[in-house]
Amino acid sequence: MDLTLGNNGLDGTIPECIGNLSSSLLSLDLRMNNFHGKIPENFVEGCSLKSFLISNNQFEGSLPRSLGNCKELEFLDVGNNYLSDTFPNWLGNLDQLQVLDLRENRFYGKLDSSDVTFTRLRVIDLSHNNFGGYLPVNFFENLHAIREGNGKKVKPEYMEDVIAGGTVFIWPGLSFTTKGLETEFEKLLTIWTAIDFSSNQFSGEIPKTIGELHSLIVLNLSHNCLTGPIPSSLGDLSELESLDLSSNKLHGRIPTEFTNLGFLEVLNLSHNNLMGPIPQGKQLETFSNDSYIGNLGLCGLPLSKSCDNDEGTPAKFDRDDDDDGLNWKFSILMGPSGGESRKLHCMVVGRPFSVAVSYLLLRRFFQTGPSCGPDFPVIRSFNRSHSFRDLFSAFRVIVDNNPIMNAETIAGRICQVLQRKWNI
């Protein structure tokens, strides 16, 4: 039996008899109403509830421990209430629990799950609470359903249940913040996985073991007090589509392993203390400044701040041009700015060359070296009348014959080629 009263403008408290009826109820849906008071604490042994949905109400107090009697519980949604309690470790004893939504309440304390294994948990949302302390390594080690890399091996199916009247999709209307947007899922795929711990007070470093959650699709740890470097192991999350680590105190470099995240659609690393060159190539080249703002030590595209030689490892560029056939890749090493001549070191290594990088690089040479005449806007006038393919052609003539030269020489040589070939 299901009791569905969601989105009806109802108010009052939940009668105690609901707990007594839990042995015959399969689903209780009271979402989007104005219920208040405490949740009944008399869920009986043998409770048959599979879903308990009370989000977007005004419930207060703690989460009743008697819910632990509901051994078949798969989906628990108590988000957007006024519940005040510690993390419900005891829910780990519910072997069927797949979705846990505690967001936007007043939960507090540490995530102490040393003796708890969330065997089947695939979606957990703790956002907008007052949780704190370190992110426990063992918590993520025990998320076995997300650790199993079976996303590509299992045929995608929707969560469903078989009742007397036929097959129905369970938990319609699940609302979750994913890829920066509030999204409502009419149906929930069995392979969809997400972890949202944003807007809490978690501190310490990001556990490297998160990189072992190979089926994870959404990871949001933003707006906390996390410190230390970004683990390179996050580059192993091959199914990841959304990563938000913004508004923390992370430092160090962005791992070059992020170029392995081929399905990444949303990346937000803004407002941290990151430094060094932004890795280039593949999916990372699709993100704008907004993904990196608020990190004064970062340099390289898409930011306007270029990287000097002392930034360390040179930036790597790996972007396919339209179809101009120039299968190049350049490693750019710039010497110190100031009085000394900058040098350009170009090595052909058989990969596509970035159009944007070529433009910015050449423009920098013309700004710092001799111009082709009294007017600096050589590049601008050139771009109005010629394609980037022509610009590449001029650049290639120089680079093929002069793998290493200073900025003044290469700028002058490019001027000669442009003037001789196109009368600029």
Side-chain angles (χ1 to χ4, degrees):
M1 180 174 65
D2 296 339
L3 179 58
T4 304
L5 301 174
N7 201 16
N8 276 296
L10 301 174
D11 57 21
T13 60
I14 301 180
E16 291 290 329
C17 63
I18 289 293
N20 297 326
L21 292 174
S22 60
S23 59
S24 56
L25 280 176
L26 293 178
S27 174
L28 176 63
D29 185 355
L30 304 179
R31 293 175 293 179
M32 303 291 293
N33 283 291
N34 296 308
F35 289 114
H36 61 271
K38 294 185 177 182
I39 305 171
E41 299 183 1
N42 59 339
F43 292 91
V44 299
E45 291 189 17
C47 166
S48 58
L49 278 173
K50 289 190 174 182
S51 59
F52 184 69
L53 318 173
I54 62 169
S55 62
N56 294 284
N57 282 284
Q58 301 172 37
F59 291 112
E60 56 188 13
S62 59
L63 204 58
R65 302 305 190 262
S66 59
L67 276 174
N69 293 325
C70 305
K71 301 299 183 182
E72 301 300 317
L73 193 65
E74 299 178 2
F75 184 32
L76 177 60
D77 181 6
V78 299
N80 292 281
N81 282 287
Y82 302 111
L83 298 175
S84 179
D85 202 349
T86 57
F87 181 73
N89 295 327
W90 44 273
L91 288 175
N93 297 319
L94 302 180
D95 294 336
Q96 303 303 314
L97 189 64
Q98 298 184 47
V99 178
L100 175 62
D101 189 348
L102 305 181
R103 64 175 174 165
E104 296 196 44
N105 277 283
R106 298 171 179 173
F107 287 96
Y108 60 91
K110 299 180 180 180
L111 268 62
D112 183 11
S113 57
S114 55
D115 299 323
V116 178
T117 301
F118 289 93
T119 306
R120 299 194 64 186
L121 194 63
R122 299 179 302 100
V123 178
I124 178 169
D125 189 346
L126 307 183
S127 63
H128 298 276
N129 279 286
N130 295 311
F131 290 115
Y134 295 154
L135 294 174
V137 173
N138 57 314
F139 180 87
F140 299 103
E141 290 178 341
N142 291 332
L143 296 176
H144 297 298
I146 307 180
R147 287 172 64 91
E148 297 172 1
N150 57 5
K152 296 181 180 179
K153 301 177 182 178
V154 178
K155 180 181 178 181
E157 296 178 347
Y158 291 107
M159 291 186 179
E160 60 185 28
D161 199 7
V162 179
I163 59 176
T167 300
V168 297
F169 296 109
I170 56 178
W171 314 325
L174 168 67
S175 182
F176 199 82
T177 301
T178 175
K179 303 178 183 179
L181 298 173
E182 185 80 13
T183 305
E184 182 173 313
F185 295 85
E186 287 300 322
K187 302 176 184 178
L188 190 62
L189 282 168
T190 56
I191 62 172
W192 197 74
T193 57
I195 295 175
D196 189 345
F197 285 7
S198 63
S199 299
N200 281 282
Q201 300 175 33
F202 290 113
S203 58
E205 298 187 0
I206 299 174
K208 297 178 182 179
T209 52
I210 293 182
E212 299 174 5
L213 302 177
H214 300 297
S215 297
L216 190 61
I217 294 176
V218 176
L219 177 61
N220 189 348
L221 302 178
S222 65
H223 294 87
N224 280 286
C225 302
L226 298 174
T227 58
I230 299 175
S232 60
S233 61
L234 296 188
D236 296 330
L237 299 176
S238 57
E239 303 294 325
L240 199 64
E241 297 179 11
S242 178
L243 175 62
D244 191 346
L245 304 178
S246 63
S247 298
N248 281 286
K249 299 177 182 179
L250 301 172
H251 60 77
R253 301 193 175 206
I254 300 173
T256 57
E257 288 81 1
F258 276 16
T259 57
N260 298 328
L261 302 177
F263 293 108
L264 199 62
E265 296 180 26
V266 174
L267 174 66
N268 193 348
L269 305 178
S270 64
H271 302 290
N272 280 286
N273 299 314
L274 301 173
M275 60 179 295
I278 297 173
Q280 302 294 318
K282 300 180 181 177
Q283 201 72 0
L284 288 186
E285 293 194 10
T286 65
F287 301 115
S288 67
N289 291 13
D290 293 340
S291 295
Y292 308 105
I293 58 174
N295 293 280
L296 299 181
L298 285 179
C299 61
L301 293 175
L303 302 178
S304 58
K305 179 183 177 182
S306 59
C307 297
D308 293 328
N309 193 36
D310 58 1
E311 297 289 355
T313 305
K316 295 182 180 179
F317 308 100
D318 187 4
R319 175 181 290 178
D320 292 330
D321 253 16
D322 296 334
D323 58 353
D324 54 22
L326 296 178
N327 294 321
W328 293 7
K329 182 177 180 180
F330 289 81
S331 174
I332 314 263
L333 300 177
M334 301 297 291
S337 59
E340 298 182 25
S341 294
R342 281 180 284 252
K343 291 187 177 181
L344 172 68
H345 182 191
C346 300
M347 297 177 294
V348 179
V349 293
R351 289 293 182 86
F353 180 61
S354 168
V355 172
V357 173
S358 70
Y359 174 77
L360 293 175
L361 180 63
L362 291 175
R363 183 175 66 180
R364 181 175 181 183
F365 287 151
F366 278 112
Q367 288 173 328
T368 58
S371 66
C372 294
D375 291 326
F376 156 67
V378 164
I379 291 295
R380 287 196 290 272
S381 64
F382 179 79
N383 288 335
R384 284 198 297 267
S385 56
H386 300 280
S387 68
F388 270 115
R389 184 178 304 176
D390 295 331
L391 185 60
F392 276 138
S393 180
F395 196 46
R396 183 173 182 175
V397 171
I398 304 301
V399 172
D400 280 349
N401 298 306
N402 302 276
I404 300 179
M405 63 176 65
N406 61 40
E408 295 178 358
T409 303
I410 197 169
R413 295 288 181 83
I414 292 175
C415 287
Q416 293 174 8
V417 173
L418 295 179
Q419 289 174 328
R420 182 172 63 250
K421 191 170 183 179
W422 294 290
N423 297 318
I424 292 179

